[in-house]
């Protein structure tokens, strides 16, 4: 995100201010291949007239509108910012109660600030709208990420009344869409089954994607969607809009399909129980809504988001991630110094690069030997680890590994010194009982003292050893029975929003103070996966489900929105602890290799054969991970389309190398073998194709073969995958063109 700030400073030198006397004019928000076109109307209102692929001859949009409606005298163009009042009948983007009792708004353009054409990187356009009669202004801030083809929008509401106003609705973005049919994919799920693609045909009425949980908001639904126009979503054809909201609290995305078959999308903070008193001369800024578009299927749109996330969101987005062994599934709460040192020895032997000690290392009066107690008491457990964390971290470093450690600093067990000493820090409705969830409560991050405590936990933990270079930050419950002892009575309804502001201020402090410490985003697995939290992290734990048969579905859907390089994917032991399914070490490894590969097991539980395979395959993976982490993602065959096979491919930006992954998910008769047509290669290049991660047998040709890119993208690869749990990984390398 820092990079963004720098670019704006440069871009704003070349700003131009539009004259507002001008009659109709077009305002172009442009990336290299897509554009959003707005129109200033004669009456100084702003309409949205186009969103899609760039094209020549846009001048016609000066007079032509999207749609004519039978009940409207004039041509209809949807407003950029349809606030409550006027001709609108749908959920408003803004609803505010003014001090004089007026409930409506009527915005016209006040000024436009836009960079000159030709700026590279990010171009920011700010449309400042003002109410026609009352002292209220709104900035619509649109950022176009040129190379990545991503457009973001946020809103700043400014109160110039001498008294407070109350915001009842405050969405970040409105997008009207026109097609014959709309296929919406939501990413629903639950614990250990997050991010499942769920595609429906929208019918008239409102479909809502939302969370009211406050924390761990993305466990059952992600604030992202895929909208396919006219046909079901395909990876490589058709019109697709991807949207994702960058907000770590309650969110709401409305899909309102009206009687004219127009789809109105609204996205932002969930107004649920959150009316917000905005004091005089103060402003309120919404989170960013992220948009991208493709007319060649969702693969392209996903690659736009991945590039954007690597370039502007993730910490170290353009570096490959190291191989982690995380102790959770291998040891849970039962370990001592010897257990951990053995794990480190074996991890080093296998080529692992970072060892992470998960939950269970702290608490003395209330030792954290289960999830029932100790959370909040962040002192090293002297019985389990008498020599402290430094001894373990130094040991890991002496074996050539980095050392990481788990924290869950926003939460507390009732059975802890912290809960007893600071009852006023706990989120609680006064005079009411609060239920525990995973035996724990949430700390009130609206309170600056709690913010200090939480950032202190991070700082103190990191200070346990100068050899700590990785933190796994977990959050294992959502908020119920909300109430804050810190917020004043008339601002209790600010709680849901101020909690998130408190969290962001802690995150900001931490990443500034510890730029070199890697941080993993985790909330009972993928419970906090969204673009508001990601800028403070290097990677995320997509799910506690490490079973490759079900992980394939989670990872595929996750990677439609979020980049594979940040998707921590760990090989665990078979049978799987969550599902009981058995699978080969190769199948487990091949699935984990599509993300940021790691291990989640006790190495002593592996057979000799499994250990040998891991050692060889990790070595190979390190040579090839630049392809999956920094290359382009091509979803070839969705597991959701056929639960028999799935295939994914990664290609380096220069098309010189690729990795192809295919998996058999079911028994499907032995009379035919799947064929996969590859994508994204250079048709004129010749590629050497080598099967890697081979265990007992080859699934391709057995030996290396060469093919042209054109052949691979027209004819494809025919694989000997027959049984459930078989998989094949191919490495493609460009061959030098022969010179005669
Ligand atoms: C939930 C996480 O998702 C797991 O990986 C593990 O860290 C546990 N919490 C520890 O309590």
């Amino acid at each position: 995100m820092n990079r963004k700030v720098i670019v704006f400073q440069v871009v704003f030198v070349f700003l131009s201010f539009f004259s507002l006397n001008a009659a109709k004019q077009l305002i172009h928000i442009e990336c290299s291949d897509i554009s959003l076109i707005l129109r200033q109307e004669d009456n100084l209102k702003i309409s949205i007239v186009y969103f899609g692929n760039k094209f020549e001859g846009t001048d016609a949009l000066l007079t032509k509108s999207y749609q004519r409606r039978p009940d409207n005298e004039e041509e209809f163009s949807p407003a950029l910012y349809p606030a409550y009042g006027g001709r609108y009948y749908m959920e408003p983007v803004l609803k505010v109660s003014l001090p004089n009792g007026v409930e409506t708004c009527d915005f016209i353009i006040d000024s436009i600030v836009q960079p000159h054409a030709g700026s590279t990187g990010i171009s920011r356009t700010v449309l400042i709208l003002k109410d026609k009669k009352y002292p209220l202004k709104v900035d619509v801030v649109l950022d176009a990420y040129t190379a990545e083809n991503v457009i973001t929008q946020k809103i700043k509401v400014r109160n110039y009344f001498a008294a407070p106003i109350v915001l009842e609705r405050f969405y970040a973005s409105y997008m009207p869409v026109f097609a014959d049919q709309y296929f919406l994919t939501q990413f629903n799920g639950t614990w250990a089954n997050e991010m499942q693609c769920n595609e429906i045909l929208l019918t008239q009425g409102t479909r809502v994607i939302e969370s009211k949980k406050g924390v761990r908001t993305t466990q059952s639904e992600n604030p992202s969607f895929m909208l396919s126009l006219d046909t079901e979503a395909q990876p490589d054809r058709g019109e697709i809009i991807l949207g994702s909201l960058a907000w770590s609290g309650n969110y709401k995305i409305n899909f309102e399909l009206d009687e004219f078959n127009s789809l109105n999308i609204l996205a932002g903070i969930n107004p649920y129980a959150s009316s917000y008193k905005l004091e005089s001369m103060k402003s309120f800024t919404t989170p960013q809504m992220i948009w991208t578009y493709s007319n060649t299927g969702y693969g392209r749109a996903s690659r736009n988001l991945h590039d954007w996330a690597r370039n502007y969101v993730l910490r170290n987005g353009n570096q490959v991630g190291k191989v982690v062994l995380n102790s959770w599934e291998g040891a849970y709460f039962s370990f001592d110094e010897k257990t951990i040192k053995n794990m480190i020895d074996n991890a080093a032997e296998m080529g692992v690069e970072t060892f992470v000690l998960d939950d269970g290392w702290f608490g003395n009066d209330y030792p954290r030997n289960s999830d029932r107690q100790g959370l909040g008491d962040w002192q090293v457990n002297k019985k389990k680890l008498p020599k402290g964390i430094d001894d373990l971290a130094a040991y890991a470093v002496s074996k050539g590994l980095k050392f990481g450690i788990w924290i869950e600093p926003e939460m507390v067990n009732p059975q802890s010194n912290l809960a007893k000493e600071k009852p006023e820090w706990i989120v609680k409705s006064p005079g009411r009982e609060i239920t525990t969830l995973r035996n724990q409560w949430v700390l009130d991050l609206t309170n600056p003292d709690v913010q200090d405590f939480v950032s202190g936990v991070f700082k103190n933990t990191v200070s346990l050893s100068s050899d700590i270079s990785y933190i796994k930050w977990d959050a294992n419950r959502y908020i119920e029975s909300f109430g804050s002892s810190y917020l004043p009575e008339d601002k209790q309804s600010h709680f849901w929003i101020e909690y998130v502001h408190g969290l962001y201020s802690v995150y900001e402090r931490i990443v500034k103070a510890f730029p070199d410490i890697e941080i993993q985003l985790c909330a009972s697995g993928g419970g906090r996966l969204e673009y508001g939290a990601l800028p403070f992290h290097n990677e995320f734990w997509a799910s506690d489900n490490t079973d490759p048969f079900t992980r394939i579905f989670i990872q595929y859907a996750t990677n439609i929105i979020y980049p594979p390089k940040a998707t921590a994917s760990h090989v665990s032991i078979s049978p799987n602890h969550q599902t009981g399914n058995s699978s080969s070490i190769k199948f487990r490894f091949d699935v984990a290799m599509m993300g940021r590969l790691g291990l989640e097991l006790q190495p002593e539980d592996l057979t000799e054969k499994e250990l040998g395979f891991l050692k060889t395959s990790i070595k190979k993976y390190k040579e090839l991970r630049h392809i999956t982490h920094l290359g382009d993602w091509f979803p070839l065959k969705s597991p959701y389309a056929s639960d028999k096979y799935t295939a994914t491919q990664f290609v380096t930006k220069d098309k010189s190398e690729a990795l192809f992954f295919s998996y058999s998910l079911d028994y499907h008769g032995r009379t035919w073998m799947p064929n996969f047509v590859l994508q994204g290669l250079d048709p004129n290049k010749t590629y050497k194709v080598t099967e890697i991660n081979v265990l007992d047998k080859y699934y391709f040709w057995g030996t290396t073969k060469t093919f042209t890119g054109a052949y691979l993208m027209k004819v494809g690869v025919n694989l000997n995958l027959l049984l459930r749990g078989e998989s094949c990984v191919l490495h493609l390398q460009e061959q030098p063109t022969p010179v005669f």
Side-chain angles (χ1 to χ4, degrees):
M1 281 286 172
N2 290 345
R3 264 164 293 177
K4 185 154 73 179
V5 175
I6 296 164
V7 177
F8 286 150
Q9 283 166 352
V10 177
V11 166
F12 270 99
V13 175
F14 305 104
L15 295 177
S16 63
F17 289 81
F18 279 27
S19 149
L20 290 180
N21 298 328
K24 280 192 175 196
Q25 62 175 332
L26 296 180
I27 302 148
H28 295 262
I29 317 295
E30 301 217 306
C31 302
S32 12
D33 301 327
I34 67 169
S35 67
L36 170 68
I37 305 180
L38 312 177
R39 186 173 66 211
Q40 180 184 304
E41 309 290 1
D42 294 329
N43 60 5
L44 295 181
K45 304 240 171 185
I46 304 286
S47 309
I48 299 182
V49 289
Y50 180 78
F51 178 53
N53 262 16
K54 248 176 158 171
F55 67 100
E56 297 293 322
T58 51
D59 284 356
L61 289 169
L62 262 180
T63 47
K64 181 74 194 101
S65 288
Y66 260 133
Q67 211 187 45
R68 194 185 286 281
R69 287 184 176 177
D71 66 344
N72 233 311
E73 307 80 69
E74 64 233 48
E75 273 205 332
F76 174 81
S77 295
L80 170 69
Y81 195 70
Y84 182 67
R87 298 195 80 145
Y88 302 105
Y89 47 85
M90 50 176 211
E91 173 82 352
V93 69
L94 181 82
K95 162 74 180 60
V96 53
S97 296
L98 304 180
N100 52 6
V102 172
E103 299 276 316
T104 57
C105 293
D106 190 0
F107 287 111
I108 53 170
I109 189 75
D110 185 35
S111 56
I112 303 172
V113 188
Q114 197 175 36
H116 284 297
S119 302
T120 52
I122 313 165
S123 303
R124 172 167 285 192
T125 304
V126 184
L127 295 105
I128 301 172
L129 310 180
K130 64 178 179 195
D131 190 274
K132 257 172 140 171
K133 193 166 166 58
Y134 299 111
L136 183 66
K137 285 191 180 179
V138 163
D139 297 356
V140 181
V141 183
L142 287 149
D143 291 332
Y145 293 78
T146 315
E148 295 81 9
N149 290 306
V150 165
I151 295 174
T152 64
Q153 182 178 319
K154 68 178 176 184
I155 300 294
K156 189 178 197 178
V157 182
R158 291 186 278 149
N159 175 16
Y160 292 98
F161 280 92
I165 60 174
V166 179
L167 308 179
E168 315 276 4
R169 299 272 191 287
F170 28 73
Y171 290 96
S173 193
Y174 164 67
M175 182 67 80
V177 188
F178 301 98
D180 287 340
Q181 290 191 306
Y182 307 92
F183 291 86
L184 173 70
T185 301
Q186 296 171 240
F187 300 99
N188 306 99
T190 183
W191 176 74
N193 203 30
E194 299 88 338
M195 288 290 281
Q196 300 293 307
C197 285
N198 174 21
E199 186 171 50
I200 51 154
L201 173 65
L202 289 177
T203 52
Q204 195 173 326
T206 303
R207 180 90 182 183
V208 175
I209 295 177
E210 69 175 333
S211 171
K212 302 188 191 103
K213 292 181 172 168
V215 176
R216 213 179 64 179
T217 54
T218 71
Q219 189 174 70
S220 51
E221 188 154 27
N222 201 271
S224 307
F225 64 87
M226 168 159 72
L227 185 73
S228 180
L229 308 187
D230 297 330
T231 59
E232 279 119 335
Q234 301 288 334
D236 55 356
R237 69 196 86 111
E239 276 194 284
I240 296 284
I241 294 174
L242 293 186
S244 192
L245 183 77
W247 180 246
S248 307
N250 294 342
Y251 60 82
K252 190 166 184 182
I253 309 180
N254 282 310
F255 298 85
E256 203 171 333
L257 186 58
D258 66 21
E259 61 191 298
F260 308 107
N261 203 40
S262 311
L263 181 63
N264 301 285
I265 308 175
L266 268 181
I269 297 176
N270 198 334
Y272 162 75
S274 291
S275 55
Y276 199 93
K277 192 191 246 188
L278 185 61
E279 302 293 342
S280 166
M281 302 310 287
K282 294 277 180 210
S283 65
F284 177 89
T285 304
T286 71
Q288 275 187 329
M289 181 63 192
I290 301 139
W291 298 99
T292 189
Y293 168 89
S294 155
N295 66 352
T296 52
Y298 61 83
R300 170 72 207 267
S302 301
R303 291 191 288 280
N304 291 347
L305 288 185
H306 298 170
D307 286 344
W308 174 78
R310 277 186 297 231
N311 291 341
Y312 294 102
V313 180
L314 289 169
R315 300 174 82 215
N316 293 336
N318 285 304
Q319 289 171 24
V320 297
K322 297 201 180 305
V323 181
V324 165
L325 189 151
N326 186 71
S327 69
W328 181 241
E329 282 196 35
Y332 294 108
F333 295 101
S334 312
F335 57 82
D336 57 16
E337 184 194 314
K338 188 163 169 289
T339 329
I340 299 303
K341 286 189 173 166
N342 276 346
M343 280 177 122
I344 291 172
D345 287 340
N346 289 320
E349 175 68 19
M350 283 188 282
V352 167
E353 294 159 302
T354 302
F355 176 82
V356 179
L357 177 60
D358 208 287
D359 200 351
W361 58 267
F362 50 90
N364 287 299
D365 295 341
Y366 300 95
R368 180 78 171 168
N369 293 328
S370 73
D371 61 18
R372 289 199 196 90
Q373 61 176 29
L375 201 57
D377 299 348
W378 296 102
Q379 296 78 33
V380 184
N381 181 302
K382 294 200 179 98
K383 203 162 161 209
K384 273 184 185 169
L385 304 173
K387 294 192 212 140
I389 292 297
D390 188 40
D391 175 63
L392 291 181
Y395 187 76
V397 169
S398 75
K399 297 282 170 178
L401 271 72
K402 290 178 176 295
F403 187 83
I405 194 160
W406 177 97
I407 55 173
E408 191 183 359
E410 295 153 83
M411 310 267 170
V412 61
N413 282 130
Q415 292 306 313
S416 67
N417 288 325
L418 181 71
K420 300 193 190 316
E421 284 160 19
K422 297 282 182 194
E424 72 281 12
W425 281 7
I426 291 155
V427 174
K428 182 177 187 316
S429 190
R432 314 248 181 242
E433 296 297 310
I434 31 169
T435 48
T436 52
L437 221 164
R438 206 194 189 212
N439 308 300
Q440 65 195 57
W441 292 327
V442 183
L443 297 178
D444 178 6
L445 263 175
T446 68
N447 184 337
D449 292 342
V450 174
Q451 294 166 20
D452 289 347
F453 171 80
V454 171
S455 45
V457 171
F458 191 102
K459 191 167 162 242
N460 296 340
T461 306
V462 167
S463 313
L464 291 171
S465 168
S466 56
D467 288 321
I468 293 180
S469 49
Y470 177 110
I471 290 282
K472 172 175 177 177
W473 182 315
D474 205 348
N476 284 302
R477 70 159 293 172
Y478 57 86
I479 296 174
E480 296 166 301
S481 179
F482 85 91
S484 163
S485 326
Y486 171 76
L487 290 173
E489 279 170 18
D490 67 334
K491 292 204 171 137
Q492 288 289 312
S493 62
H494 292 201
F495 173 81
W496 297 109
I497 294 172
E498 293 310 336
Y499 184 95
V500 182
H501 289 155
L503 177 68
Y504 289 161
S505 97
V506 170
Y507 279 161
E508 270 157 25
R509 267 199 261 177
I510 285 168
V511 295
K512 193 159 172 239
F514 303 99
D516 299 327
I517 302 272
E518 249 195 283
I519 310 176
Q520 187 194 65
L521 177 69
C522 173
S524 312
R528 203 177 232 174
L529 173 56
E530 46 73 37
Y531 278 116
L534 271 181
F536 306 101
H537 296 83
N538 301 63
E539 63 160 0
F540 57 86
W541 185 225
S543 179
D544 278 345
N545 187 337
T546 51
D547 173 355
F549 286 107
T550 37
R551 255 279 178 155
I552 275 189
F553 289 83
I554 296 170
Q555 287 179 202
Y556 189 92
T558 298
N559 293 153
I560 292 175
I561 304 292
Y562 305 101
K565 76 146 296 199
T567 311
S569 313
H570 295 180
V571 177
S572 60
I573 215 74
S574 175
N576 186 270
H577 290 185
Q578 282 77 29
T579 65
N581 281 336
S582 296
S583 55
S584 72
I585 189 73
K586 169 176 167 54
F587 193 65
R588 280 173 272 155
F589 191 91
D590 288 353
V591 171
M593 192 174 163
M594 287 191 294
R596 172 170 168 177
L597 179 123
L599 308 180
E600 186 87 17
L601 44 73
Q602 165 57 276
E604 286 179 350
D605 294 341
L606 293 163
T607 62
E608 277 305 308
K609 188 176 174 187
E610 288 175 326
L611 260 173
F613 175 84
L614 283 178
K615 211 170 151 180
T616 319
S617 306
I618 288 174
K619 186 161 179 277
K620 189 75 190 163
Y621 164 77
K622 287 183 192 164
E623 290 166 20
L624 303 181
R625 63 183 154 191
H626 61 279
I627 308 173
T628 47
H629 291 210
L630 309 178
D632 284 333
W633 182 73
F634 287 86
L636 300 182
K637 188 155 186 53
S638 166
Y640 295 92
S642 133
D643 49 14
K644 294 199 183 319
Y645 293 112
T646 177
T648 299
Q649 193 193 335
F650 295 82
V651 184
T652 54
K653 294 278 176 194
D654 66 1
K655 299 182 191 289
S656 65
E657 270 187 292
L659 275 169
F660 163 83
F661 297 86
S662 57
Y663 308 88
S664 169
L665 302 177
D666 203 355
Y667 172 71
H668 32 73
R670 294 194 184 189
T671 48
W672 63 283
M673 293 187 292
N675 196 72
F676 298 102
V677 173
L678 273 52
Q679 290 179 25
L681 304 172
D682 182 337
N684 300 317
K685 285 186 170 154
T686 301
Y687 294 91
K688 183 171 92 179
V689 182
T690 312
E691 183 169 354
I692 61 163
N693 300 350
V694 176
L695 186 56
D696 293 320
K697 63 187 245 196
Y698 287 97
Y699 293 97
F700 190 44
W701 288 81
T703 48
T704 294
K705 286 258 177 195
T706 53
F707 303 91
T708 62
Y711 174 91
L712 293 165
M713 291 195 292
K714 292 277 179 222
V715 180
V717 289
N718 195 227
L719 302 175
N720 185 23
L721 290 177
L722 293 171
L723 302 178
R724 173 179 153 85
E726 291 186 326
S727 53
C728 174
V729 184
L730 302 177
H731 176 215
L732 282 68
Q733 285 168 290
E734 177 187 355
Q735 294 306 286
T737 318
V739 181
F740 299 103

